Amino acid sequence: MVGLSLGEKHFIQGGIDQNLRSDGRKRDTYRPISVETGVIPQANGSARIRTGATEVIASVKAELGRPHALQPDKGKVSIFVDCSPVAEPMFEGRGGEELSTELSVALQRCLLGGKSGAGAGIDLSSLIVAEGKICWDLYIDGLVISSDGNLLDALGAAIKAALSNTGIPRVQVAAGASGDEQPEVDISDEEFMQFDTSGVPVIVTLTKVGRHYIIDATSEEESQMSSAVSVSINRKGHICGLSKRGSAGLDPSVISDMISVARHISEQLINKLDSEISAAEADEDEM
Amino acid sequence: MAAQGGAAPSTYTPTPTKKTQRSPFFSDSDVDWLRPDGRGFHQCRPACGFTFNLLGCCDLIVFTYAGMFSLSLLSSCAFFSVLYSYMKGFFRTGAVNSAAGSAYAEFGNTKVIVSVFGPRESKKAMVYSDVGRLNCNVSYTTFANPARGLGSDNKEFSSMLHKALEGAIMLETFPKTTVDVFALVLESGGSDLPVVISCASLALADAGIMMYDLVAGVSVSCLGRNLIIDPILEEESFQDGSMMITCMPSRYEVTQLTITGEWSTAKLNEAMQLCLDACSKLDKIMRACLEEAASASQD
């Protein structure tokens, strides 16, 4: 919770009206983003994203499992977010649960596509090892370390970076298993498969304060919002998911406008993020 | 099956406007494909036309419901009359006697009951608030799904219901107090959440909670190149993407919008228009239901 005086509220709202926010940014400027990959050696892939005082970590763990009976040719991906009390005392105990669920659901909606698996940022059929029998289960975990607004976008970016950092061991399936028998597998610890993350969308949240919308809002600015729309957009400019927060209703034409603004901003963000991720991976290789 | 886009508000199927624009979605091989219940792609589930079979199924549910939750005899009788005399309506208010307001909705196989309690004093642990609180809960019965489930609370739907209704309620009219909205999905037949939201706004109106407008919810599924409005359970499990809009039709404001799957701009706009059109029709039906309930109580 952000406790602001009336004067501070007016200052923030006035700044946004005049396109000059409290930290000197314009309405459509991001805070500098820094990306670090491979921060968790135990995970198959991980990344840390820092933007302003917001800091999140995403890790990807892969386990062998059985594919779903209805979709024998696809692997499974699940996303969970944990809000640590390290970030804010109100997250202690069950306090962070509501926010965690909200973020997890929004990320699942934005990154995993429809029920049939179409439109997913991650190619689920690349996770299959033996059709109908063995597949990779990806567990994507997000952790909020420090919270200063724009958590969803940061988590989305962290997951994208973690996925491009992920190496999944190559698996040899022993031939000769017949019928319902589970085949024996041999997991290589030297050969790794890399993901194609070009299709993973980025999430752009537009926060509506007064008549204007801003991107990358800080928590002070978020406390003044009437509503916020998070749009996930891939490189092709297609919408991959959308969720709305905040109580105020929006005119449908405003939503359409917000989507087109988000699409425009996403192009810059994808390019920015890709260059940051490749720089981070180059750093990691050097070490 | 209801006629498509009739003038009478018997169903909330949107009027087929720009037919020419829609043609890309209905070309080539997709035309011969039929929905399991024989509806057109842009047709919502009909307002009337229950088969006998369906009615029998309803009875069963009412009995189990009354037994399980020990509703008073009176309210279960009231409930019966709902089903028999209101076969033509989707909605019926006043389904639960002990609640401040309640509503029952039935769309195809989706059957939902919502009770509203309050405004009543907030729990002691809550900090002071000069606006009212809204507490929402959506739960499923153990027999709601084809496979017997745990019948647990659905946290995701609960928070979605809260977000959809929050903007429509004048929370400042009941400071320091809480309004509880409890929704129970008796049978899940697809498009559960939009039905829950529409039904809940009707229950709130029945309870006399001040609102800016009723909230109507409609969802659209995307299967291949087709847009399918008001999907049933089978269609939902194979969908490539989905969109749900809840809006306040008289104010023309969207209170909640969720999208999953990959959408191009044209398809997105098409689906939004389809949803909004259906919402405004659904609103008319909901209003008719409220008017009828009000005139019945005057007699």
Side-chain angles (χ1 to χ4, degrees), chain A residues 41-99:
Chain A
Q42 279 103 326
N44 294 72
S46 60
R48 167 158 63 183
I49 294 259
R50 253 178 296 190
T51 153
T54 297
E55 188 171 347
V56 294
I57 288 183
S59 84
V60 181
K61 282 221 178 207
E63 280 172 21
L64 285 177
R66 288 190 81 127
H68 200 272
L70 283 176
Q71 294 169 332
D73 57 342
K74 289 193 169 83
K76 290 177 286 186
V77 182
S78 35
I79 302 179
F80 298 101
V81 177
D82 184 29
C83 293
S84 152
V86 168
E88 231 167 292
M90 63 170 284
F91 291 160
E92 201 211 326
R94 311 192 71 185
E97 213 171 69
E98 200 179 319
L99 182 64

Side-chain angles (χ1 to χ4, degrees), chain B residues 36-97:
Chain B
D37 47 5
R39 279 182 288 154
F41 291 144
H42 294 182
Q43 245 177 342
C44 298
R45 282 173 285 191
C48 49
F50 292 98
T51 60
F52 259 102
N53 196 1
L54 240 166
L55 251 182
C57 168
C58 297
D59 290 355
L60 184 79
I61 278 170
V62 172
F63 272 124
T64 355
Y65 181 76
M68 275 181 68
F69 301 96
S70 60
L71 281 179
S72 67
L73 192 69
L74 209 74
S75 76
S76 65
C77 285
F79 207 49
F80 261 113
S81 67
V82 170
L83 287 174
Y84 285 123
S85 61
Y86 268 86
M87 282 178 352
K88 285 185 182 172
F90 296 102
F91 295 104
R92 175 70 172 168
T93 54
V96 180
N97 273 1

Side-chain angles (χ1 to χ4, degrees), chain A residues 57-61 76-82 100-113 120-122 124 137-143 152 155-156 158-160 163 200-201 203 232, chain B residues 156:
Chain A
I57 288 183
S59 84
V60 181
K61 282 221 178 207
K76 290 177 286 186
V77 182
S78 35
I79 302 179
F80 298 101
V81 177
D82 184 29
S100 303
T101 333
E102 191 182 322
L103 288 171
S104 310
V105 168
L107 285 169
Q108 283 162 12
R109 193 177 290 137
C110 289
L111 300 174
L112 300 188
I122 306 154
L124 295 179
D137 289 347
L138 281 194
Y139 293 96
I140 302 176
D141 288 286
L143 175 68
L152 193 61
L155 282 164
I159 289 172
K160 190 176 163 82
L163 281 171
V200 179
I203 302 173
S232 115
Chain B
E156 186 193 338

Side-chain angles (χ1 to χ4, degrees), chain A residues 15-72:
Chain A
I16 288 166
D17 278 342
Q18 292 173 35
N19 204 6
L20 181 67
R21 288 151 71 178
S22 327
D23 46 8
R25 283 184 291 155
K26 288 189 170 173
R27 284 195 288 262
D28 57 350
T29 322
Y30 274 95
R31 292 173 283 187
I33 300 175
S34 79
V35 182
E36 213 176 313
T37 53
V39 288
I40 302 167
Q42 279 103 326
N44 294 72
S46 60
R48 167 158 63 183
I49 294 259
R50 253 178 296 190
T51 153
T54 297
E55 188 171 347
V56 294
I57 288 183
S59 84
V60 181
K61 282 221 178 207
E63 280 172 21
L64 285 177
R66 288 190 81 127
H68 200 272
L70 283 176
Q71 294 169 332

Side-chain angles (χ1 to χ4, degrees), chain B residues 250-266:
Chain B
S250 315
R251 283 165 69 102
Y252 202 56
E253 264 181 24
V254 175
T255 59
Q256 188 53 254
L257 166 66
T258 59
I259 298 173
T260 57
E262 197 172 339
W263 298 75
S264 64
T265 317

